[in-house]
């Protein structure tokens, strides 16, 4: 039996808001969350900017002991999951815990503690390394800690597909519920990689912007773009089987109707030069949803602000949508919050769900000088009010991982 899958709860920790409401109000206002890095001295770094989470306080959600045992990426995930559960008004005590799951990924995991304990090892020796070092840093511990916190005893997994992690996590959760393996799943991604090693590593790849103007650093589809800006945070969706949600009188934000996942099988960092893999993921998602490009109201693009990605993603959308591509509004909210790596797709899924609920298409805020090769409707500078029926979100990860999700209005 095939089951419908709906979104009944949302949680977000982001560079422009630590709750969903604060985050989306700032998205609508076109607020930029990028600023100079303050967590470490950047004097010897060419990259000076990042999109950090501000004023983060896990204490309302975690006790002192829990905080000490978790890396920042796990803390983000717990806070966003707590918000999603509260938002959904679901009664955890009444759930069949064997059909309550968690699929939450992280692209990198506990990088902050990797750096910290590597220094301890070198300076003080192996006996001084934190006994909880491994459980703090491994990427599956966001999902593991969420399951422990809320008693989820069903599927519990961690997907790692670089920048496509969040979207794949939500897509696989959707499939688990659709095919009857779970009733409720917390799904999404979390990342906390604004560290010296994280910035140095991506800088060595020449992937990061070296701009020192926060408003001209993350500028997807702009001719002057020179790389992405590192972000951090978490996005969590509470997904629920439709009849299960209906029986308890849940508020339904949107329905997931399609998911596509493909591989470029081309290069470790560059997308396929013809956009084939990304286009196929979009087509697969539309096929599963039973819709055509004419039905898509808005696309939240991967839109990293790197020269190659934005051009090839544009090609992929043209290949997937044909001439209709020119009629579909597309934007990249990375212009406001930077690139959250493994959390990117999850936070962007929150954007898509809220866009449907509030009838608002977010802007690509930094787009001042359009690239001739990026010639679609990228909603520059200001967002638009619009009734949205079907919204697509795309993410493309290092290694050639492509993921597309389609959310539909419950009124459709």
């Amino acid at each position: 039996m095939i089951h419908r899958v709906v979104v009944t709860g949302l949680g977000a920790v982001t560079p422009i808001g630590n709750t969903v409401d604060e985050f989306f109000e700032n998205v609508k206002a076109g607020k930029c969350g990028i600023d100079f890095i303050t967590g470490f001295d950047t004097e010897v770094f060419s990259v000076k900017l990042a999109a950090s989470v501000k004023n983060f306080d896990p204490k309302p959600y975690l006790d002192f002991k829990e905080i000490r045992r978790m890396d920042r990426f796990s803390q983000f995930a717990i806070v966003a999951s707590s918000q999603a559960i509260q938002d959904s008004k679901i009664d955890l005590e009444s759930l069949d815990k064997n059909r309550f799951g968690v699929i939450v990924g992280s692209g990198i995991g506990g990088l902050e503690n990797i750096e910290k304990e590597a220094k301890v090892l070198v300076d003080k020796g192996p006996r001084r390394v934190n006994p909880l070092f491994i459980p703090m840093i491994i990427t599956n511990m966001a999902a593991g800690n969420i399951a422990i916190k809320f008693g989820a005893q069903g599927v519990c997994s961690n997907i790692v597909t670089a920048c496509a992690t969040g979207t794949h996590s939500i897509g696989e959760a959707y499939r688990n519920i659709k095919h009857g393996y779970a009733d409720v799943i917390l799904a999404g991604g979390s990342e906390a990689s604004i560290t010296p090693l994280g910035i140095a590593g991506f800088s060595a790849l020449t992937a990061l912007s070296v701009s020192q103007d926060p408003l001209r650093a993350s500028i997807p589809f702009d001719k002057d773009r020179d790389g992405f800006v590192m972000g951090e945070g978490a996005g969590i969706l509470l997904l629920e089987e439709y009849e299960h949600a209906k029986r308890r009188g849940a508020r339904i934000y949107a329905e997931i109707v399609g998911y596509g996942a493909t591989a470029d099988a081309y290069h470790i960092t560059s997308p396929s030069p013809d956009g084939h893999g990304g286009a196929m993921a979009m087509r697969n998602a539309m096929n599963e949803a039973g819709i055509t490009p004419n039905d898509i109201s808005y696309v939240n693009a991967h839109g990293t602000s790197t020269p190659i990605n934005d051009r090839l993603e544009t090609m992929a959308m043209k290949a997937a949508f044909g001439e209709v591509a020119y009629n579909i509004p597309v934007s990249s909210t990375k212009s406001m919050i930077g690139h959250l790596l493994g959390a990117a797709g999850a936070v962007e899924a929150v954007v898509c769900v809220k866009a449907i609920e509030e009838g608002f298409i977010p802007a690509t805020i930094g787009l001042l000088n359009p690239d001739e090769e990026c010639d679609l409707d990228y909603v520059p500078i200001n967002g638009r009010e619009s009734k949205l029926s079907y919204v697509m979100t795309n993410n493309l990860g290092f290694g050639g991982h492509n993921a597309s999700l389609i959310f539909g209005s419950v009124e459709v």
Side-chain angles (χ1 to χ4, degrees), residues 120-206:
V120 169
L121 174 64
V122 171
D123 292 348
K124 300 180 180 180
R127 293 180 183 274
R128 298 295 296 276
V129 171
N130 188 336
L132 294 173
F133 170 60
I134 297 300
M136 290 178 76
I137 68 160
I138 49 181
T139 57
N140 70 299
M141 288 310 293
N145 279 312
I146 292 166
I148 292 165
K149 183 77 170 174
F150 302 113
Q153 296 176 347
V155 60
C156 184
S157 63
N158 161 55
I159 292 172
V160 184
T161 50
C163 310
T165 293
T167 302
H168 277 135
S169 296
I170 296 166
E172 295 303 318
Y174 158 66
R175 290 276 170 80
N176 268 269
I177 297 174
K178 177 178 179 177
H179 295 294
Y181 301 114
D183 297 325
V184 177
I185 299 180
L186 288 162
S190 186
E191 204 76 86
S193 302
I194 303 174
T195 70
L197 190 58
I199 296 296
F202 279 102
S203 291
L205 275 174
T206 65

Side-chain angles (χ1 to χ4, degrees), residues 22-315:
E22 181 187 13
F23 169 52
F24 199 68
E25 282 303 308
N26 284 327
V27 166
K28 290 194 293 184
K31 182 174 180 179
C32 181
I34 296 164
D35 207 339
F36 288 91
I37 295 168
T38 58
F40 59 91
D41 186 354
T42 61
E43 183 178 356
V44 297
F45 289 77
S46 59
V47 171
K48 308 294 184 184
L49 302 176
S52 302
V53 169
K54 289 87 174 168
N55 304 313
F56 176 69
D57 182 8
K59 290 192 288 293
Y61 303 92
L62 293 163
D63 63 34
F64 179 71
K65 186 176 180 180
E66 289 173 317
I67 292 169
R68 286 191 62 198
R69 290 168 174 252
M70 291 184 200
D71 188 89
R72 188 170 164 91
F73 85 100
S74 285
Q75 294 177 28
F76 287 162
I78 289 281
V79 171
S81 296
S82 300
Q83 292 174 10
I85 288 170
Q86 292 169 6
D87 184 43
S88 74
K89 297 182 171 57
I90 198 164
D91 179 10
L92 296 182
E93 296 306 313
S94 68
L95 280 183
D96 179 349
K97 296 298 179 65
N98 294 313
R99 295 184 61 79
F100 174 27
V102 181
I103 303 182
V104 172
S106 179
I108 295 179
L111 192 57
E112 183 177 47
N113 273 286
I114 290 173
E115 293 185 39
K116 176 183 174 184
E117 297 303 323
K119 189 173 189 305
V120 169
L121 174 64
V122 171
D123 292 348
K124 300 180 180 180
R127 293 180 183 274
R128 298 295 296 276
V129 171
N130 188 336
L132 294 173
F133 170 60
I134 297 300
M136 290 178 76
I137 68 160
I138 49 181
T139 57
N140 70 299
M141 288 310 293
N145 279 312
I146 292 166
I148 292 165
K149 183 77 170 174
F150 302 113
Q153 296 176 347
V155 60
C156 184
S157 63
N158 161 55
I159 292 172
V160 184
T161 50
C163 310
T165 293
T167 302
H168 277 135
S169 296
I170 296 166
E172 295 303 318
Y174 158 66
R175 290 276 170 80
N176 268 269
I177 297 174
K178 177 178 179 177
H179 295 294
Y181 301 114
D183 297 325
V184 177
I185 299 180
L186 288 162
S190 186
E191 204 76 86
S193 302
I194 303 174
T195 70
L197 190 58
I199 296 296
F202 279 102
S203 291
L205 275 174
T206 65
L208 296 181
S209 172
V210 295
S211 171
Q212 295 192 37
D213 180 354
L215 298 178
R216 294 295 294 161
S218 183
I219 49 174
F221 309 109
D222 192 291
K223 186 183 290 188
D224 299 327
R225 67 190 185 278
D226 70 335
F228 75 82
V229 173
M230 183 86 79
E232 64 176 359
I236 302 290
L237 277 60
L238 191 139
L239 305 186
E240 195 167 349
E241 194 275 326
Y242 174 71
E243 295 298 336
H244 188 280
K246 195 174 171 183
R247 280 194 300 272
R248 70 178 186 86
R251 174 190 55 191
I252 295 173
Y253 281 107
E255 180 176 1
I256 300 183
V257 294
Y259 168 49
T262 65
D264 288 340
Y266 171 70
H267 190 270
I268 58 172
T269 59
S270 176
S272 174
D274 60 1
H276 170 80
M280 186 57 66
M282 293 180 231
R283 289 194 198 104
N284 289 349
M286 288 187 288
N287 289 340
E288 183 169 25
I291 63 174
T292 71
N294 287 299
D295 297 310
I296 302 291
S297 304
Y298 163 61
V299 175
N300 187 289
H302 190 50
T304 60
S305 187
T306 61
I308 292 176
N309 175 91
D310 294 0
R311 177 172 54 83
L312 296 184
E313 188 178 4
T314 298
M315 290 174 61

